Amino acid sequence: MLSLVTFLPLVGALVIFFAVKDNPKLIRYLALGTSLLTFIVSLQILKGFDNSTAAFQFMEEAAWLPAYGITYRMGVDGISLPFVLLTALLTPLCILASWESIQTQVKGYMVSFLALESFVIGVFCALDFILFYIFWEAMLIPMFLLIGIWGGKNRVYAAYKFFLYTLAGSVLMLIAILVMGFKGGTFSIPTLMSIPFSFGLQVWLFLGLFSSFAVKVPMWPVHTWLPDAHVEAPTAGSVILAGILLKMGAYGFLRFSLPILPDASRFFIPFIFGLSLVAIVYTALVALMQKDLKKLIAYSSVSHMGFVTIGLFTYNQQGIEGGILQMVNHGVVSGALFLLVGVIYDRMHTREIARFGGIAHRMPVYAVIFMVFTMASVGLPGTNGFIGEFLILLGAYLANKGVAVVAATGLVFGAAYMLWMFKKVLFGVVANDEVAALQDMNKREVALFVPLLILVLWIGFYPAPFLKMMHASVEQLLIQANTIKAGSAAIAMF
Amino acid sequence: MSKYLLIVLAPLFGSMIAGFFGRWLGNRLASLVTIAGMSLSALLAIITFFEIAVGNGDPVRQEVWSWIVSGDFRVSFGLLIDRLTAVMLIVVSGISTLIHIYSMGYMAEDPDQPRFFSYLSLFTFAMLMLVTGDSYLQLFFGWEGVGLASYLLIGFWFKKESACNAAIKAFLVNRVGDFGFALGIFTIYQVFHTLDYATVFRMAGTGQFPQTVDFLFWGPVNTMTLICLLLFIGAMGKSAQFILHTWLPDAMEGPTPVSALIHAATMVTAGVFMVCRSSPLFELSETALTVVTIIGATTAFFAATVGLVQNDIKRVIAYSTCSQLGYMFFAAGVSAYSAAIFHLMTHAFFKALLFLSAGAVIHSMHHEQDMRKMGGLRKKIPITYAMMMIGTLALTGFPFLAGFYSKDAILEAAYASQTAVGSFAWSLGMIGAVLTTFYSFRLIFMTFHGHPADHHKYDHAHESPWVMLVPLMVLAVGALFSGMLGESMTHLGWFKSAIFLAPGHDAMEHAHHVSLWVKWAPFLMFLIGLGLAWLLYVRLPSLPGIIADHFRGTYRFLLNAWYFDRLYDRIFVQPAKMIGEGLWLTGDGKIVDGCVNGVAALCQHWANQLRALQSGYVYHYAFAMLIGVLVLVSLYT
């Protein structure tokens, strides 16, 4: 099942690559069909998923390189499943969003996109470190191509910046993985969770993994690739980037750092909190001054991800569940916001905030949808953003009041830049002839937002099913994260 | 679906129908749908009121559905309807219904009516959620929900730059308050492990909680004081109290029915409601009560002084609202919660009446709001004049009208509390009473008496349609009689378990037995205020200008509302922008990217030298790395 959901998009990509001649229409339908099928398979996994256990489910194992303890091993639990589902949901929306806006090299685009989906799902399902690493790195290639080929004016600079940043982190992660594998005698992630590494080693391993995860999240100060990558990426690229790729870093902390390196993770709590708080306040202030719509949302992503990393390191159930939920929320909301930017970019070919104004007069449906996601972004009760932020802040407050107080200022700043942006873009008098000529969204465009709107309100009013999915796994994670693997003497020595 | 749930949900249904199908329903039908929803809600609210508040029904408690569950954190959507809620229900649903009806006339020429009515009903839904909630989180849900509706409605005419700015300001200032409120909620959870009112209040009453908690660099602080002060920051935002009041006058950019409903009768009183609802907590902290009293009394005085010199008819009433909310808070601060709620109720009637009458004036003057351009209107719009007069007399405490009972109850309680802050509040309240009467009659005299200032507008002035006048008359009945009928509310024990009083906190009880001069002193204040207003605006109309010229500094200080806006702009808004710009261009641009690009340039330099060996494409390197890992690993097997 997991292999199916992972490789189905890749198979689709290969079929398109080899079997289809230059027929954009067919390619689009094939790509959409593949991604929808993948989504359906992912729903089947959800259906068969047992909420009551923390064990990995849908396990698949096949011998690969036994002498090295490397196995093809896949499985999901309540922490990874939400991301598999999110990826499977967002990809068809992305393909639909690219329906008209991508006109050149449609084939290459769709192939890249489907390959990307495969690798990303693989990252979330892999239970072997080497397998994980392969997916993790492989995913860079289609993303690099998506930005570098179908991006904006400055795409090459952005693509390289994205690539070098992430690659630099990955090298250190690779070393950490290899050390863990050789020391532990296996690359199996579940087994590694119970191997006691000494505290000194844990610290180095943590830093190795951290360098890669922090870039991906991105945490301050290694966030500067994100605004550039977003601005240059095509709409769907931004959606996947914000919606899924950023989650991989935070997922890494949850899957590896906390359970495998619990002592070091606890040791680094103040460090993570510090960076996250800087991210929340710093990028919120920066977002306030942005002139480019996409850059603003990109900076807001960094700020929101700051909340997530705080949640994960609160070491209590509310904080961690809030963090995971907020990742899903951010995927939905920032994904939708980038799609909304795309809608207007397709019409006006600009993202400069000053060029807009009064769009609500011309596009009332657009304005309403935009408003809902804006409110979700600022965490208004009744939207998904509230549940995530509230749980994170509650968890943070229980863990460390100072952190919660500083983080909570993000609520004010977040509202400031989002509402200011909303006013400049949608309110006011019709700014110019281009705005005056705008047509409201067509049915295809509205259809993109319907599933996301449903999720916003569903999680806002009835988050129980989503949280229930995580309960058992998060409880288990907390037990692991609170164990003392290294002897207390070792910690004292350090 | 229970009838109680329907009170809350009927407006939501109306809002959704008008919002989603408004463009097919058309203006008339969309407004009627929301009015139907509101009327149903109001009708059921009246029935509930009779069951619980007039009859002797027990409080209703229902769980609707489980909302958030995470670890041992559990919160449900639920309903708690006791006497406190029953009073609020009737105020919110009743006045909202009247304002919906009034809006049919007031907004008749607006093309976006379905949107307007949808927002208005959405607001009512959120407000009803707020007052019926059975936990602090549901209160917060409603709290932020009304904030959203307020934002949408202030910015309803979103073409206007000023309206959009006012909407954002309202949202942000409220967010600052909510920041404190959220921290208060977190502390409640930390201390009591639940957010459910019943459990929190029970545990608070029996003292089953740690008496101190650590808070930031203050170290251990009194638990209740911390909780109450944090909650009160939220109340200061929502109810526009001194320091966080700056959004309310600007909120007048919204359509007048919005000002009446949200920024006078209901939403802004949410803070007062919250403090009264939390009486089992506030009663346990003398410090918190003292702060509430001081802030309330200061606001009562401050806003009244600013109201003296405003020329925009709506701004005068807005500052008046701010000031009256201050009265309610200091009533709560001296443990006279019942007086606070009583005044909340009577105020809702007469202030809505005043706003809607002002709306009728504006409507008849073709959107003129500057009182200096009015004058002599009493002959042109006599019914509106009569309504406005009733509202004014009720506000200023003319004997046997609403304010006479409720404001006097507050002042008597403050006097009877026999504490230093109580006396402080009483003194400011008494001065405030003079000022209130003065600015209220200044408004009446400038608008309705004297000679028309703008003959063109005067000649075209016309009485409003009945659809606007009838709601005014209903509210006028409330302004006339709600004081007399509601006075029993202030008697000990009327609110039953809804309001808790700590032993010794008996200001309300003593208030009924103060000497006669205390009871009639406010009336004396009324007479002084009226006399001064008459002197300055009827007898010697040139005098105000001379005084303003003579005390230029004071006049400007008041006109600019003590310069709060300018101060906040200097110390918060501009620095935030400057820092943001600095961090972006220098922090991100020069420092971080400088390093990154530097490293990249260095790499490029090396890469150039090795170009013969390499393809130069980064993804080739990545691919090579992958293959390398696989080969490396495979070689060992």
Side-chain angles (χ1 to χ4, degrees):
Chain A
M1 209 62 164
L2 288 180
S3 296
L4 182 65
V5 79
T6 306
F7 292 109
L8 192 62
L10 195 61
V11 171
L14 292 175
V15 168
I16 292 173
F17 190 70
F18 290 111
V20 185
K21 281 267 174 289
D22 201 25
N23 181 350
K25 203 170 171 189
L26 180 64
I27 291 170
R28 287 190 188 115
Y29 276 104
L30 266 176
L32 183 65
T34 312
S35 61
L36 283 176
L37 204 61
T38 311
F39 182 56
I40 293 169
V41 176
S42 75
L43 288 181
Q44 292 304 311
I45 295 175
L46 176 65
K47 215 172 132 192
F49 185 79
D50 180 4
N51 280 335
S52 60
T53 168
F56 287 104
Q57 302 178 36
F58 299 96
M59 287 284 280
E60 289 173 19
E61 283 186 8
W64 187 14
L65 296 167
Y68 251 102
I70 300 173
T71 320
Y72 176 80
R73 184 181 284 113
M74 309 274 273
V76 288
D77 66 352
I79 293 172
S80 50
L81 183 60
F83 300 108
V84 174
L85 293 170
L86 186 64
T87 312
L89 171 72
L90 284 180
T91 307
L93 296 181
C94 286
I95 289 174
L96 213 52
S98 319
W99 212 250
E100 282 162 12
S101 57
I102 299 297
Q103 292 295 349
T104 51
Q105 305 188 53
V106 177
K107 186 168 167 178
Y109 182 86
M110 292 298 173
V111 168
S112 302
F113 228 97
L114 290 174
L116 182 65
E117 181 181 17
S118 263
F119 299 144
V120 171
I121 294 181
V123 164
F124 292 122
C125 294
L127 287 183
D128 183 279
F129 246 135
I130 297 295
L131 187 62
F132 168 81
Y133 184 75
I134 290 171
F135 282 129
W136 178 279
E137 291 295 298
M139 169 236 92
L140 284 180
I141 297 165
M143 196 64 222
F144 176 78
L145 295 176
L146 283 174
I147 299 175
I149 297 178
W150 292 274
K153 284 194 200 83
N154 220 347
R155 56 181 181 262
V156 177
Y157 172 70
Y160 273 85
K161 201 167 170 184
F162 162 73
F163 207 91
L164 287 175
Y165 248 116
T166 39
L167 204 62
S170 300
V171 174
L172 297 171
M173 177 169 81
L174 178 62
I175 297 171
I177 289 177
L178 291 176
V179 171
M180 255 188 268
F182 291 126
K183 281 265 179 186
T186 175
F187 286 99
S188 157
I189 293 165
T191 318
L192 280 170
M193 286 176 184
S194 54
I195 289 176
F197 294 108
S198 76
F199 182 70
L201 184 61
Q202 280 191 35
V203 167
W204 287 111
L205 292 174
F206 183 94
L207 288 173
L209 295 180
F210 173 81
S211 61
S212 183
F213 299 155
V215 167
K216 240 346 170 265
V217 165
M219 293 177 77
W220 184 86
V222 287
H223 64 282
T224 60
W225 63 270
L226 187 74
D228 286 317
H230 269 311
V231 167
E232 300 304 331
T235 299
S238 291
V239 173
I240 283 295
L241 197 57
I244 312 292
L245 263 54
L246 303 191
K247 311 296 142 29
M248 289 167 48
Y251 171 76
F253 284 125
L254 276 176
R255 179 56 79 229
F256 310 113
S257 307
L258 261 58
I260 300 179
L261 312 166
D263 304 301
S265 298
R266 284 195 299 274
F267 178 74
F268 281 110
I269 289 175
F271 174 63
I272 300 279
F273 279 170
L275 292 185
S276 307
L277 290 179
V278 174
I280 290 173
V281 177
Y282 178 114
T283 47
L285 285 170
V286 172
L288 211 51
M289 297 311 296
Q290 294 309 305
K291 296 167 178 67
D292 182 305
L293 198 47
K294 259 188 160 178
K295 260 197 175 157
L296 189 147
I297 299 170
Y299 274 110
S300 85
S301 289
V302 181
S303 192
H304 280 128
M305 290 308 286
F307 275 97
V308 170
T309 41
I310 285 181
L312 301 185
F313 280 80
T314 55
Y315 275 69
N316 56 46
Q317 190 129 6
Q318 290 83 25
I320 294 181
E321 287 186 5
I324 300 174
L325 189 66
Q326 189 63 359
M327 283 195 256
V328 175
N329 293 339
H330 180 257
V332 171
V333 173
S334 69
L337 287 172
F338 280 119
L339 286 174
L340 283 162
V341 177
V343 167
I344 199 74
Y345 185 77
D346 286 348
R347 286 164 171 71
M348 291 178 63
H349 303 286
T350 180
R351 290 178 311 262
E352 203 183 323
I353 293 173
R355 299 271 307 276
F356 303 129
I359 290 177
H361 295 283
R362 293 286 149 215
M363 305 176 69
V365 177
Y366 179 76
V368 171
I369 294 177
F370 209 140
M371 175 56 82
V372 175
F373 288 109
T374 301
M375 286 301 149
S377 174
V378 305
L380 198 86
T383 66
N384 56 355
F386 172 71
I387 311 285
E389 275 182 6
F390 183 84
L391 286 175
I392 289 172
L393 288 173
L394 180 69
Y397 195 81
L398 299 177
N400 182 331
K401 289 199 179 73
V403 170
V405 170
V406 178
T409 60
L411 298 180
V412 181
F413 292 128
Y417 62 73
M418 285 308 284
L419 293 183
W420 170 83
M421 176 275 287
F422 194 85
K423 179 198 119 181
K424 293 268 176 188
V425 173
L426 288 134
F427 287 163
V429 288
V430 172
N432 50 42
D433 294 347
E434 275 181 280
V435 174
L438 287 174
Q439 296 286 314
D440 209 342
M441 296 202 286
N442 61 32
K443 287 204 177 92
R444 175 185 64 85
E445 289 170 324
V446 173
L448 284 178
F449 294 99
V450 171
L452 301 175
L453 282 171
I454 292 172
L455 274 176
V456 164
L457 297 175
W458 185 2
I459 301 179
F461 280 93
Y462 191 56
F466 298 88
L467 291 170
K468 213 180 269 170
M469 203 194 297
M470 307 167 193
H471 285 328
S473 298
V474 172
E475 272 169 32
Q476 162 84 2
L477 173 70
L478 276 171
I479 294 171
Q480 289 168 335
N482 281 314
T483 31
I484 298 170
K485 278 188 174 179
S488 51
I491 298 178
M493 239 166 62
F494 190 82
Chain B
M1 187 184 297
S2 81
K3 117 185 127 198
Y4 307 110
L5 193 57
L6 202 56
I7 298 178
V8 180
L9 293 184
L12 179 65
F13 296 146
S15 167
M16 283 163 68
I17 295 172
F20 290 132
F21 308 109
R23 56 163 87 175
W24 294 284
L25 290 174
N27 289 341
R28 177 50 65 92
L29 220 52
S31 53
L32 287 176
V33 166
T34 57
I35 289 172
M38 277 317 309
S39 310
L40 177 62
S41 170
L43 189 70
L44 292 171
I46 292 169
I47 295 172
T48 308
F49 183 79
F50 273 92
E51 269 175 23
I52 290 172
V54 178
N56 223 0
D58 287 324
V60 176
R61 180 101 202 268
Q62 286 177 354
E63 189 181 316
V64 183
W65 82 75
S66 161
W67 187 14
I68 308 179
V69 178
S70 173
D72 51 4
F73 177 78
R74 280 158 205 284
V75 186
S76 301
F77 279 116
L79 291 173
L80 167 67
I81 301 178
D82 53 12
R83 285 194 160 183
L84 178 58
T85 301
V87 172
M88 293 302 290
L89 278 182
I90 210 161
V91 168
V92 175
S93 289
I95 291 182
S96 178
T97 308
L98 292 173
I99 288 174
H100 272 75
I101 296 170
Y102 174 94
S103 303
M104 278 182 77
Y106 191 83
M107 301 297 285
E109 282 151 37
D110 199 288
D112 276 338
Q113 285 175 56
R115 188 162 63 89
F116 181 79
F117 284 95
S118 174
Y119 289 170
L120 217 51
S121 281
L122 179 71
F123 164 77
T124 315
F125 158 71
M127 189 70 202
L128 290 168
M129 284 291 276
L130 192 159
V131 298
T132 55
D134 66 347
S135 72
Y136 277 101
L137 203 64
Q138 190 174 336
L139 176 74
F140 194 63
F141 176 96
W143 192 267
E144 294 261 285
V146 292
L148 168 69
S150 162
Y151 163 79
L152 292 172
L153 283 164
I154 295 170
F156 179 75
W157 287 316
F158 57 78
K159 255 185 219 172
K160 276 165 74 186
E161 174 91 15
S162 57
C164 296
N165 289 339
I168 293 178
K169 186 171 174 187
F171 198 95
L172 290 184
V173 176
N174 270 291
R175 270 273 155 144
V176 174
D178 295 347
F179 165 80
F181 195 65
L183 294 178
I185 290 178
F186 297 149
T187 317
I188 292 176
Y189 179 73
Q190 191 200 12
V191 171
F192 298 102
H193 302 291
T194 176
L195 294 178
D196 176 58
Y197 288 148
T199 323
V200 171
F201 296 159
R202 194 184 60 238
M203 287 168 75
T206 53
Q208 292 167 293
F209 60 91
Q211 293 299 316
T212 59
V213 286
D214 283 320
F215 190 71
L216 305 182
F217 40 83
W218 283 280
V221 292
N222 182 291
T223 306
M224 274 307 152
T225 301
L226 178 67
I227 291 176
C228 293
L229 288 181
L230 288 172
L231 292 179
F232 185 60
I233 294 175
M236 285 166 66
K238 192 103 308 180
S239 298
Q241 291 300 287
F242 193 63
I243 300 171
L244 293 183
H245 63 276
T246 55
W247 65 271
L248 185 61
D250 288 18
M252 297 301 124
E253 288 288 343
T256 307
V258 173
S259 314
L261 178 62
I262 300 184
H263 306 117
T266 57
M267 182 186 86
V268 288
T269 61
V272 181
F273 167 78
M274 189 273 290
V275 171
C276 294
R277 171 58 83 207
S278 309
S279 61
L281 306 183
F282 278 85
E283 280 294 287
L284 301 182
S285 169
E286 294 293 339
T287 317
L289 287 176
T290 305
V291 172
V292 172
T293 313
I294 292 173
I295 293 282
T298 311
T299 311
F301 172 73
F302 151 77
T305 61
V306 177
L308 296 176
V309 297
Q310 300 302 313
N311 292 315
D312 182 318
I313 188 168
K314 284 180 76 181
R315 278 189 177 245
V316 176
I317 309 177
Y319 279 108
S320 163
T321 303
C322 201
S323 165
Q324 295 301 310
L325 290 165
Y327 279 90
M328 296 175 210
F329 274 111
F330 79 68
V334 299
S335 297
Y337 302 98
S338 51
I341 293 293
F342 181 36
H343 194 54
L344 187 162
M345 180 189 79
T346 60
H347 175 260
F349 286 111
F350 59 68
K351 196 50 72 65
L353 175 61
L354 281 172
F355 260 122
L356 294 185
S357 304
V361 172
I362 296 167
H363 191 256
S364 70
M365 292 289 286
H366 302 281
H367 302 287
E368 181 55 64
Q369 298 189 191
D370 191 332
M371 295 193 295
R372 287 169 297 189
K373 299 194 178 139
M374 299 176 183
L377 282 171
R378 71 179 188 280
K379 290 177 202 122
K380 282 290 219 177
I381 45 173
I383 303 177
T384 307
Y385 173 62
M387 296 299 130
M388 194 89 170
M389 190 55 107
I390 293 173
T392 301
L393 291 173
L395 165 67
T396 52
F398 187 78
F400 313 114
L401 269 59
F404 173 76
Y405 294 95
S406 58
K407 194 159 68 174
D408 286 14
I410 289 176
L411 288 169
E412 285 157 20
Y415 179 83
S417 74
Q418 300 290 1
T419 57
V421 281
S423 310
F424 169 75
W426 181 76
S427 327
L428 287 186
M430 291 301 270
I431 302 171
V434 180
L435 302 177
T436 305
T437 317
F438 180 84
Y439 66 64
S440 300
F441 278 97
R442 172 176 173 267
L443 185 156
I444 292 275
F445 294 146
M446 282 178 84
T447 312
F448 293 101
H449 292 253
H451 302 291
D454 182 334
H455 278 283
H456 178 73
K457 284 204 163 131
Y458 178 82
D459 291 340
H460 288 84
H462 55 85
E463 192 65 272
S464 299
W466 285 107
V467 70
M468 288 166 68
L469 293 177
V470 170
L472 288 183
M473 291 168 182
V474 178
L475 287 169
V477 172
L480 288 170
F481 302 111
S482 62
M484 222 177 282
L485 296 173
E487 210 206 348
S488 58
M489 222 182 251
T490 59
H491 293 287
L492 193 68
W494 189 86
F495 280 101
K496 298 188 174 171
S497 57
I499 281 172
F500 168 80
L501 289 177
H505 286 189
D506 40 16
M508 201 61 245
E509 205 34 41
H510 290 309
H512 294 297
H513 311 293
V514 291
S515 33
L516 210 58
W517 75 268
V518 179
K519 282 193 188 293
W520 285 94
F523 182 59
L524 182 65
M525 299 295 128
F526 165 80
L527 291 177
I528 297 172
L530 176 60
L532 283 172
W534 178 80
L535 187 69
L536 265 71
Y537 290 92
V538 179
R539 190 74 188 83
L540 299 167
S542 56
L543 202 53
I546 297 170
I547 297 175
D549 278 340
H550 206 78
F551 300 99
R552 194 103 215 120
T554 318
Y555 175 71
R556 296 201 62 79
F557 181 68
L558 294 180
L559 193 66
N560 289 295
W562 298 23
Y563 291 112
F564 268 100
D565 277 333
R566 207 169 297 178
L567 180 73
Y568 288 170
D569 188 62
R570 291 263 167 82
I571 61 177
F572 297 121
V573 181
Q574 296 310 328
K577 285 186 173 174
M578 262 167 56
I579 296 169
E581 180 104 3
L583 290 178
W584 176 38
L585 296 178
T586 312
D588 270 20
K590 295 229 170 74
I591 300 173
V592 180
D593 273 358
C595 295
V596 173
N597 291 339
V599 171
L602 209 62
C603 290
Q604 203 166 25
H605 178 69
W606 293 335
N608 276 334
Q609 298 188 337
L610 296 171
R611 191 154 52 180
L613 290 174
Q614 307 290 338
S615 66
Y617 292 105
V618 186
Y619 55 94
H620 285 185
Y621 300 149
F623 202 61
M625 254 171 77
L626 265 182
I627 302 285
V629 171
L630 284 178
V631 170
L632 199 76
V633 167
S634 307
L635 270 181
Y636 279 98
T637 48

